[in-house]
Amino acid sequence: MNTETPTPPPATGRQTRILTLASGSAGSGKSTLAGALAEQAAVHGLTVCVIGLDRQRDVSRLLGYDDPDADENLPTLMDVVDGLCTLDEALVPGRHSKTGEILPGLWLVLESDKLDALTLKLAGVTARELWLTQQLKQLEGRFDLILLDCPGNMDLGTQNALIAGTEIVGCTKSQEKEARGLTALEDKIAHLHQSYGFLGMRDGLDWIVIGEGVTNISQGKLYFEIEQQVREAYGDLVVAPTVRDDVKVPEAYSASLPITLYNPKSDAAAAYVAIGKAMKLYS
Ligand SMILES: Nc1ncnc2c1ncn2[C@@H]1O[C@H](COP(=O)(O)OP(=O)(O)OP(=O)(O)O)[C@@H](O)[C@H]1O
Ligand SMILES: [Mg+2]
């Protein structure tokens, strides 16, 4: 079993895709998607970095670090904000939360429960909305894929991630509240684009992932119709397949593992593998 700390990837000039996972309402499957896509992309040979921006620290936990704040030797994104280390120095290897085994090709910048102070901390920084864009320059050309897991609000952390992403992934569920959240997210992107479009910021959603859909119509006609509406409204932006309701997902959450590691044979894991393919992360 490999638990030895590897060296962070060097600059190779490779093309780095930066996927911002965002939603207009909380609990839309962002962290579940981030954990599963990161794990699968690494398994398929990509060099991956996950940066979570949420004080709930869900994606950090899923990728091996239950409570980063409890270990003062572990750097977090908040240490980067505080100038205690660089983003490069904050990289830690992803690991299996149960065995401690290193997940090859997978790296993280850990979240902190102090991330709720991010807005306050960045308040005095010049061009505060661009802080993450600037920081990510240290990682570009070193990773194939960077995933930014936003919190369930539109605070400065999410705004930074929306500006920094080369692709924006809207996460939703086939339920009214979450589907409406997509519109709120689009409004925020459009607003930010007015100011930051000249820097190359995306002008809209690039992908939409629907999670926790109903398994069949009889399970909930209304939910099915909302899913249809989202597909009709957004067409090809909506990635196939929808991740159906699967009890293995909350089980994986409790076990602090990405669903693709917890139960690779589950329907949800298969759906996430297919979503990664549909997004052309791997073939
Ligand atoms: N396909 C699914 N089947 C069943 N439960 C699911 C599925 N996908 C996600 N969930 C559950 O929905 C909840 C929210 O998921 P998740 O934490 O990924 O959302 P989030 O968008 O990251 O939330 P937040 O906005 O709070 O960060 C979790 O408890 C997760 O286990
Ligand atoms: Mg989350």
Side-chain angles (χ1 to χ4, degrees), residues 149-185:
D149 182 25
C150 294
N153 60 48
M154 295 286 179
D155 279 1
L156 195 52
T158 298
Q159 293 175 38
N160 263 268
L162 289 173
I163 296 166
T166 59
E167 292 159 66
I168 301 177
V169 185
C171 298
T172 188
K173 290 183 177 175
S174 53
Q175 292 169 26
E176 182 92 25
K177 179 167 128 320
E178 282 81 7
R180 277 183 194 281
L182 280 181
T183 313
L185 179 59

Side-chain angles (χ1 to χ4, degrees), residues 30-31 54 56 58 149-150 253:
K30 300 178 291 292
S31 303
D54 194 348
Q56 276 181 194
D58 285 322
D149 182 25
C150 294
Y253 238 65

